């Protein structure tokens, strides 16, 4: 089996010239030019973890305060 690829170089060049640069949405460098992506990820992770713990604590308080829902909490 023989196969060939026909490339229209002029058309490819024109298409390539029309490409637009992808904009930078988030820059993970600080003012000194240091890469701080790992620190930002860790901060976001810790913040989400703390938020979830607070949400769980708030909901447990609501359940404990509601006589109709108190039976859902195990007493150890």
């Amino acid at each position: 089996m023989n196969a060939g690829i026909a490339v229209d170089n002029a058309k490819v060049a024109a298409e390539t010239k029309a490409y637009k640069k992808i904009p930078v949405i988030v820059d993970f460098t600080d003012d000194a030019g240091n890469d701080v992506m790992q620190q930002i990820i860790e901060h976001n992770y810790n913040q989400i973890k703390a938020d979830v713990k607070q949400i769980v604590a708030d909901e447990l308080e609501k359940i404990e305060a509601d006589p109709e829902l108190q039976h859902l909490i195990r007493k150890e």
Side-chain angles (χ1 to χ4, degrees), residues 16-72:
T16 303
K17 193 180 263 188
Y19 286 172
K20 294 180 182 175
K21 191 171 184 171
I22 297 173
V24 175
I25 297 171
V26 177
D27 185 19
F28 291 103
T29 55
D30 61 9
D31 295 336
N34 300 317
D35 184 4
V36 292
M37 183 172 69
Q38 189 63 36
Q39 291 92 327
I40 292 171
I41 291 171
E42 287 176 15
H43 175 267
N44 290 344
Y45 171 80
N46 291 330
Q47 184 63 52
I48 291 167
K49 193 173 178 179
D51 291 347
V52 169
K53 283 182 180 182
Q54 187 61 52
I55 291 168
V56 169
D58 292 346
E59 292 303 313
L60 283 173
E61 277 184 30
K62 288 179 188 177
I63 292 171
E64 288 173 353
D66 188 339
E68 293 182 16
L69 299 176
Q70 288 176 349
H71 70 280
L72 297 174

